[in-house]
Amino acid sequence: DAGVTQSPTHLIKTRGQQVTLRCSPKSGHDTVSWYQQALGQGPQFIFQYYEEEERQRGNFPDRFSGHQFPNYSSELNVNALLLGDSALYLCASTSSRGGFQTQYFGPGTRLLVL
Amino acid sequence: KQEVTQIPAALSVPEGENLVLNCSFTDSAIYNLQWFRQDPGKGLTSLLLIQSSQREQTSGRLNASLDKSSGRSTLYIAASQPGDSATYLCAVSPGDDKIIFGKGTRLHILP
């Protein structure tokens, strides 16, 4: 049973570019959340997707957007990249049938913006 | 606004010692509290989850306690080993499913 998978593992972009990160949830999970973890900080909640819609959103600008597909996988898009967007981006999945309890985290995508 | 604080920020102890990591949160209205482990450059591994109605959880050499009324949790690690070296993150869920994390405690076990 595969856990949460994310791609790519590493990515280098320049300021102003756009990036798309991908996440496949754990088998049986239907809800995906995205977190940003800057160096030396704890992860910060970006948003959560359930039933292909954004269910909750943290304090992130509109440059951060997402999508959930019918197979429950998800994408995180960041437009007009800034140096401060350099971070580890973590995806977590959970199940609505379990009351959204116990989130499982993927290995993350490390984004470097130059 | 819920805030999670972890003390100390970093800790080095000799192998074999017992140790305690501390976590405090400002809003006692939480659904659950989790302790995670993060190895350098890696994702998160959930160690223990304590429901708001529980006082503690144990897994092997790890024991986590929760005192909701005082907004505190501790993670106790018995007989520490070099393989325990990692960053330990405390996180609370306010009930709407997002998780709010502390900044973590970087633990180094000296062989």
Side-chain angles (χ1 to χ4, degrees):
Chain A
D1 175 26
V4 180
T5 59
Q6 293 186 242
S7 63
T9 56
H10 295 82
L11 204 51
I12 300 175
K13 292 286 188 178
T14 56
R15 281 180 298 174
Q17 285 189 312
Q18 178 264 345
V19 67
T20 297
L21 311 182
R22 297 176 175 81
C23 171
S24 290
K26 181 178 170 64
S27 177
H29 286 184
D30 56 6
T31 304
V32 173
S33 300
W34 287 92
Y35 292 79
Q36 179 196 65
Q37 186 178 24
L39 198 63
Q41 303 294 313
Q44 299 288 319
F45 175 75
I46 303 175
F47 43 53
Q48 182 183 82
Y49 276 83
Y50 169 63
E51 292 189 334
E52 302 180 47
E53 291 190 358
E54 185 180 288
R55 180 171 176 258
Q56 285 191 73
R57 188 178 184 93
N59 189 25
F60 279 79
D62 292 345
R63 296 187 299 107
F64 289 77
S65 63
H67 186 77
Q68 185 178 36
F69 299 92
N71 67 353
Y72 309 120
S73 66
S74 175
E75 288 182 349
L76 164 64
N77 301 291
V78 186
N79 295 322
L81 284 167
L82 303 174
L83 296 180
D85 295 332
S86 295
L88 180 68
Y89 288 84
L90 296 164
C91 169
S93 74
T94 187
S95 171
S96 61
R97 290 179 296 280
F100 302 104
Q101 290 285 298
T102 312
Q103 297 197 23
Y104 291 80
F105 283 80
T109 293
R110 185 162 297 281
L111 171 65
L112 178 60
V113 182
L114 301 175
Chain B
K1 176 186 173 186
Q2 177 72 271
E3 293 184 0
V4 179
T5 302
Q6 292 187 244
I7 295 173
L11 182 65
S12 292
V13 299
E15 179 180 2
E17 284 199 3
N18 304 325
L19 59 99
V20 174
L21 307 182
N22 296 292
C23 171
S24 62
F25 46 95
T26 55
D27 187 345
S28 62
I30 62 170
Y31 199 68
N32 60 49
L33 181 145
Q34 283 185 268
W35 283 92
F36 292 86
R37 169 182 172 139
Q38 186 174 32
D39 293 290
K42 305 293 186 182
L44 307 179
T45 301
S46 180
L47 298 172
L48 292 164
L49 183 150
I50 310 175
Q51 300 289 358
S52 62
S53 58
Q54 298 174 322
R55 298 283 292 184
E56 65 176 348
Q57 283 285 340
T58 298
S59 176
R61 294 181 295 107
L62 305 180
N63 175 275
S65 68
L66 172 63
D67 185 341
K68 257 184 53 173
S69 61
S70 67
R72 296 180 186 275
S73 175
T74 61
L75 178 66
Y76 175 83
I77 302 177
S80 59
Q81 303 171 357
D84 295 331
S85 297
T87 295
Y88 290 81
L89 293 158
C90 172
V92 299
S93 175
D96 56 358
D97 192 37
K98 67 184 175 207
I99 299 177
I100 300 168
F101 287 85
K103 293 184 178 181
T105 293
R106 294 187 309 279
L107 177 64
H108 184 208
I109 306 299
L110 305 168

